[in-house]
Amino acid sequence: AGFRDQHNDARGPAWGGVRFHFQETIDTIRALAMWTTWKTAVVDIPLGGSMGGVVCDPHRLSTSEVERICRAWIRRVGRTIGPHRDVPAPDIMTSGQHMTWMLDEFETIAGDRTPGAITGKTLGAGGSLGRQQAAGYGLVYVLREALKELGLDARKTTASVQGFGTVARHAIELFTQIGGTVTCVASWDPHAGEAHAFRKAVGIDLDELSKASDRLGNIEPNAAQNLGYEVLEGDAWLEQEVDVLIPAALEHQITEDNVERVSSSIRIVLEGANGPTSPAAEQALLDREVLFIPDLLANAGGVICAYFEQVQSNMNYYWPLSEVLSKLDRKLTASHIEISDLARSKKLSMRDAALVTAIDRVASMCRERGWL
């Protein structure tokens, strides 16, 4: 399938001033597939890793157009997925409704009921309780353990967050519940074609700010300003004098070009997105003795709960919310302690300790199977 419009050239199509490079997209997907392999190995769940998607702008598509894309994608990949093969889960710009359309199309093709073939589904279609909260709550479970290690009281801790989608909102929710305060949030404004940061020194009110945002987490600047928020430039979330910085939107957000803007008050950087920090920027933060918790561990809550959903769907037996979140908490807490202990004992960064653990687990299984 190709893209057809007058804006296309050899590099790919453009939407809203953003040009997509097909080879770069393919290379990114390949890298993310390996990324997911390491992430599942870090938290010790029996899954591999792969990545795929559709290049489109969901802001400019109707509901029926999005449904047709979801079903068409399943018709393309249907022969390579299944409950015991490759099980898709949602990622950027996808919801439980999208995944349910995908499941319906897969079951239509297969002529069978196979709820374990897709995860991230709506509850009525066999989704797991806790799936919406998993990635965001997982961030805070890991953060809670990191704060303990640093001797910091969560009730006296402040944070700045990039993103206001599902992951960011649930992270803010749980962080507030344990006593923390989020003073700044950044989100994309599709109408202006730029990002804005929204600051309130006493702490944001998640419920009221949610009412000023759309279904994709894009906050409307005028509505936020009417609620008493300062509306700042998009990168202002980096400069806030807080204890914790949480990039939970897109990759390549903290780079060598803007890392100097990160406040000296930052004690912890917690990666809620995949690859939001460049290697050079990460090293600069490590040189400042910032505790850097990488995406491989920090945002693994989503893949863990996807695994939980696959297990429940295949058993046709579903757990209550408290059980899902309790299992998620135990899994991430144990993984954080393991990685943190290794980092201290071997004098490694948390990322290097996570990679050592993941690669060792994958290599050991390859040896046991006789592949090496």
Side-chain angles (χ1 to χ4, degrees):
F3 295 90
R4 300 283 190 272
D5 71 42
Q6 66 271 28
H7 301 295
N8 280 10
D9 64 16
R11 296 173 299 167
W15 286 286
V18 178
R19 187 165 298 283
F20 291 89
H21 301 254
F22 290 123
Q23 189 56 51
E24 290 177 10
T25 301
I26 292 169
D27 291 343
T28 298
I29 288 173
R30 286 173 177 160
L32 287 172
M34 186 57 71
W35 216 322
T36 310
T37 298
W38 301 144
K39 186 182 297 186
T40 55
V42 163
V43 293
D44 200 20
I45 55 177
L47 301 179
S50 61
M51 188 67 66
V54 178
V55 179
C56 66
D57 184 351
H59 298 96
R60 303 190 180 197
L61 299 174
S62 67
T63 300
S64 62
E65 287 173 329
V66 173
E67 179 180 357
R68 292 201 299 273
I69 286 176
C70 290
R71 292 181 181 277
W73 188 73
I74 289 297
R75 290 195 295 272
R76 281 301 192 114
V77 302
R79 292 182 179 180
T80 63
I81 67 175
H84 304 293
R85 299 183 70 184
D86 191 342
V87 181
D91 207 297
I92 296 172
M93 300 289 184
T94 45
S95 68
Q97 179 61 76
H98 299 144
M99 307 313 289
T100 300
W101 284 329
M102 292 182 191
L103 175 67
D104 183 72
E105 191 68 22
F106 181 81
E107 290 184 335
T108 298
I109 295 169
D112 196 5
R113 182 177 182 277
T114 56
I118 302 284
T119 64
K121 309 178 293 293
T122 58
L123 293 177
S128 174
L129 290 167
R131 182 65 182 87
Q132 288 295 308
Q133 297 98 320
Y137 276 24
L139 283 174
V140 180
Y141 294 149
V142 172
L143 176 59
R144 179 196 62 205
E145 298 306 308
L147 291 172
K148 289 178 185 177
E149 291 179 357
L150 295 179
L152 298 176
D153 185 346
R155 295 168 297 180
K156 299 177 181 178
T157 302
T158 55
S160 178
V161 180
Q162 186 196 33
F164 201 61
T166 301
V167 175
R169 276 186 276 192
H170 284 104
I172 292 168
E173 178 186 19
L174 188 58
F175 183 61
T176 303
Q177 287 178 16
I178 67 172
T181 302
V182 175
T183 61
C184 186
V185 169
S187 83
W188 183 253
D189 181 353
H191 303 293
E194 61 182 354
H196 298 287
F198 304 88
R199 181 172 63 191
K200 185 176 278 192
V202 297
I204 72 163
D205 183 313
L206 182 61
D207 290 336
E208 71 174 8
L209 200 54
S210 295
K211 293 175 183 176
S213 69
D214 64 17
R215 61 186 176 85
L216 296 175
N218 303 307
I219 300 170
E220 210 287 311
N222 291 332
Q225 196 165 38
N226 291 336
L227 291 169
Y229 290 84
E230 295 178 74
V231 180
L232 310 171
E233 66 172 16
D235 282 347
W237 70 279
L238 279 170
E239 305 169 341
Q240 302 307 303
E241 294 184 0
V242 294
D243 304 297
V244 183
L245 209 57
I246 306 177
L250 299 170
E251 60 185 20
H252 305 313
Q253 299 303 298
I254 307 177
T255 69
E256 52 270 38
D257 295 327
N258 63 17
V259 69
E260 292 305 318
R261 296 176 62 181
V262 174
S263 171
S264 60
S265 68
I266 297 298
R267 301 292 303 278
I268 299 172
V269 172
L270 185 69
E271 290 193 317
N274 285 324
T277 314
S278 73
E282 179 175 344
Q283 187 57 55
L285 292 167
L286 291 173
D287 290 343
R288 295 193 211 173
E289 298 186 351
V290 171
L291 176 58
F292 198 98
I293 306 179
D295 45 14
L296 292 173
L297 173 63
N299 70 16
V303 296
I304 293 172
C305 200
Y307 167 60
F308 290 167
E309 181 178 337
Q310 181 189 2
V311 170
Q312 293 171 85
S313 290
N314 288 340
M315 291 192 303
N316 202 27
Y317 177 80
Y318 294 86
W319 307 327
L321 177 61
S322 59
E323 184 172 354
V324 173
L325 295 180
S326 176
K327 289 177 185 293
L328 179 66
D329 191 349
R330 289 199 301 271
K331 174 64 77 173
L332 280 169
T333 297
S335 296
H336 179 272
I337 292 171
E338 179 183 23
I339 300 305
S340 183
D341 287 348
L342 179 62
R344 280 196 299 271
S345 65
K346 299 297 183 181
K347 294 182 171 49
L348 300 171
S349 69
M350 288 286 283
R351 186 181 303 280
D352 287 345
L355 284 169
V356 166
T357 299
I359 294 169
D360 180 66
R361 283 178 174 151
V362 173
S364 295
M365 181 51 61
C366 289
R367 283 194 297 269
E368 289 170 20
R369 285 180 171 270
W371 299 348
L372 295 176

